[in-house]
């Protein structure tokens, strides 16, 4: 085609199969909603963040790191990997970091699957799983949740075929808050072939209070075919800086470090994470506040929606089925942003006591 000539028929520039892919839905911006409703502020309980601000020392560490923003970060993430290794009592060679644990989950698909290989996971679970599976040319095998909204690990083990490369166990599960217990995970791991990598996605581990819900790192971290995914976005308060890590077999961690987007753990994120790791007592204190509020919200919301499952995370799940979207809209009209999943349920993050009260009042009015 010449510059002045007719346009060529429209070419397909991106993959046709992506049209059918659901998009990741971020929580709505509370400032926009407040403006729309003419309120001084809106409450955002849609993204599973912890509401208490950055941990002490983090803002200062970020400011210091920002002074060298014209330089690339340490690509090996050496200081942070050493600190994580010490904190979690593992060899630094077994650690890889990434731009949020969601990036690491995607890299795990990329490092294990060739086109047509299968990724087994429970559904409904973390909405990034189908996206990262399809975009890497792999095939999703979704095993329906139990009637109690949790993983059906027996069915997941049965769903493993010769094509399965990866099995994702989200514990606690986003968005339902349910968790897998030690005994069932033991049985599952015993049933999974050695050449299938099992990812224990523990983004919400710090909020777990049930002693029967295993800590994947402590309990299974040294199994060659187990990878534990953790994030600094939730309990550690760094969602906006994008940093997560995984612990796995040294070969797996090395493969991930090979495929990771170069320099994607930014210098600011590395510095912030190092500062946050110094604040473990404060993290525990904040998690205890979240857990106390979770139990209070669960009790209150069950008076409105009796079948809300137990949660070990920093959110609760309202299985409202076809009423989910309408409920989400009704909460928004009252200045509270929650996260509806059409036709299924609504996930509500635990916020401050005042935010949770605002949600409970909105829920009562909506229902
Ligand atoms: N895994 C699960 C189960 C999650 O819910 C999330 C965040 N929504 C992530 C991983 C990713 O978190 P991040 O990328 O912020 O580390």
């Amino acid at each position: 085609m010449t510059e002045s000539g007719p346009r060529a028929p429209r070419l397909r520039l991106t993959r046709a199969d992506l049209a059918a892919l659901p998009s990741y839905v971020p929580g709505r911006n509370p400032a926009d909603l407040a403006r729309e409703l003419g309120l001084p502020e809106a409450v955002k309980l849609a993204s599973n963040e912890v509401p208490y601000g950055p941990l002490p020392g983090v803002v200062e560490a970020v400011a210091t790191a920002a002074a060298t923003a014209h330089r690339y970060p340490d690509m090996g993430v050496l200081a942070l990997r050493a600190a994580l290794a010490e904190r979690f009592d593992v060899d630094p060679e077994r650690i890889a970091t990434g731009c949020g644990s969601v990036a690491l989950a995607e890299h795990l698909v990329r490092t294990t699957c060739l086109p047509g290989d299968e990724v087994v996971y429970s559904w409904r679970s973390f909405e990034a799983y189908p996206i990262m599976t399809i975009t890497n040319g792999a095939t999703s095998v979704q095993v329906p949740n139990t009637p109690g909204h949790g993983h059906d690990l027996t069915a997941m083990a049965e769903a493993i075929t010769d094509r399965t490369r990866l099995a994702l166990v989200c514990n606690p599960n986003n968005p339902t808050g349910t968790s897998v217990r030690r005994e069932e995970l033991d049985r599952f791991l015993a049933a999974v072939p050695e050449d299938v990598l099992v990812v224990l996605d523990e983004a919400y581990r710090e909020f777990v209070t049930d002693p029967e819900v295993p800590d994947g790192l402590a309990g299974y971290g040294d199994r060659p075919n187990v990878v534990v995914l953790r994030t600094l976005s939730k309990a550690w308060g760094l969602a906006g800086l994008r940093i997560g890590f995984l612990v796995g077999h040294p070969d797996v961690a090395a493969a991930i470090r090979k495929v990771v987007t170069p320099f994607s753990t930014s210098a600011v994120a590395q510095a912030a994470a190092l500062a946050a790791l110094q604040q473990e007592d404060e993290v525990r204190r904040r998690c205890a506040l979240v857990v106390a509020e979770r139990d209070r919200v669960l009790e209150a919301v069950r008076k409105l929606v009796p079948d809300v499952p137990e949660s070990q995370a920093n959110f609760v799940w309202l299985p409202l089925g076809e009423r989910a979207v309408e409920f989400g809209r009704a909460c928004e009209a009252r200045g509270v942003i929650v996260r509806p999943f059409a036709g299924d349920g609504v996930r509500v993050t635990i916020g401050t006591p005042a935010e949770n009260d605002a949600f409970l009042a909105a829920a009562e009015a909506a229902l």
Side-chain angles (χ1 to χ4, degrees):
M1 190 177 74
T2 62
E3 245 174 72
S4 56
R7 278 183 69 86
R10 195 165 171 76
L11 295 171
R12 182 178 290 290
L13 297 175
T14 59
R15 284 165 42 180
D17 60 333
L18 297 187
L21 192 62
S23 295
Y24 191 106
V25 181
R28 229 194 124 175
N29 183 331
D32 290 346
L33 179 65
R35 208 173 309 116
E36 205 177 290
L37 296 175
L39 294 173
E41 57 184 11
V43 171
K44 184 183 173 204
L45 300 176
S47 300
N48 297 345
E49 298 142 341
V50 168
Y52 300 111
L55 288 162
V58 164
V59 172
E60 294 78 1
V62 165
T64 305
T68 49
H70 59 300
R71 301 283 181 200
Y72 282 101
D74 169 17
M75 187 158 151
V77 197
L78 294 179
L80 177 59
R81 280 171 55 217
L84 289 167
E86 194 181 320
R87 163 62 185 80
F88 293 99
D89 196 20
V90 296
D91 193 304
E93 288 310 303
R94 301 182 55 216
I95 297 177
T97 67
C99 182
S101 60
V102 70
L104 291 168
E106 189 190 347
H107 298 331
L108 280 161
V109 180
R110 219 195 291 168
T111 44
T112 54
C113 293
L114 287 169
D117 285 342
E118 292 170 357
V119 180
V120 171
Y121 54 90
S122 193
W123 197 250
R124 178 173 297 273
S125 187
F126 184 27
E127 64 189 309
Y129 295 164
I131 300 173
M132 70 198 199
T133 302
I134 296 175
T135 51
N136 285 290
T139 301
S140 279
V141 176
Q142 299 185 336
V143 177
N145 286 346
T146 64
H149 312 285
H151 284 28
D152 184 341
L153 285 184
T154 307
M156 282 176 71
E158 283 165 3
I160 289 173
T161 71
D162 290 346
R163 296 305 306 261
T164 309
R165 309 277 9 117
L166 204 60
L168 303 165
V169 176
C170 191
N171 198 29
N173 187 44
N174 175 11
T176 61
T178 54
S179 21
V180 161
R181 301 205 157 182
R182 186 166 291 107
E183 201 187 323
E184 37 178 349
L185 192 53
D186 285 346
R187 242 182 290 127
F188 177 72
L189 290 174
V192 172
E194 282 173 359
D195 62 349
V196 172
L197 200 62
V198 178
V199 178
L200 304 178
D201 184 345
E202 298 188 332
Y204 303 97
R205 173 66 210 171
E206 293 84 353
F207 307 106
V208 171
T209 50
D210 179 348
E212 287 305 307
V213 177
D215 174 324
L217 255 185
Y220 310 96
D222 54 2
R223 291 191 184 214
N225 69 331
V226 169
V227 168
V228 178
L229 262 187
R230 296 278 180 95
T231 182
L232 295 169
S233 294
K234 315 290 181 185
W236 299 88
L238 298 179
L241 292 181
R242 315 302 305 124
I243 180 156
F245 66 98
L246 65 73
V247 179
H249 187 279
D251 294 348
V252 174
I256 294 290
R257 292 197 299 268
K258 218 181 249 181
V259 308
V260 79
T261 309
F263 305 109
S264 56
T265 308
S266 76
V268 168
Q270 293 184 39
L274 280 167
L277 286 171
Q278 303 287 319
Q279 296 292 329
E280 179 128 22
D281 289 347
E282 177 61 10
V283 170
R284 277 189 222 280
R285 193 186 69 84
R286 293 177 179 200
C287 288
L289 292 175
V290 170
V291 166
E293 279 295 289
R294 171 181 80 200
D295 295 346
R296 181 176 77 91
V297 170
L298 266 177
E299 196 183 324
V301 85
R302 278 184 176 143
K303 292 185 182 130
L304 306 168
V305 186
D307 48 354
V308 171
E310 204 51 53
S311 171
Q312 287 289 303
N314 67 334
F315 52 85
V316 296
W317 174 248
L318 279 47
L320 289 168
E322 294 305 324
R323 292 185 296 159
V325 169
E326 184 194 332
F327 177 84
R329 278 203 208 104
C331 287
E332 261 186 39
R334 290 167 177 86
V336 180
I337 305 167
V338 294
R339 176 69 170 87
F341 293 81
D344 201 352
V346 178
R347 190 190 68 201
V348 185
T349 304
I350 301 300
T352 63
E355 290 172 338
N356 301 330
D357 284 343
F359 160 68
L360 289 169
E364 193 164 346
L367 294 167

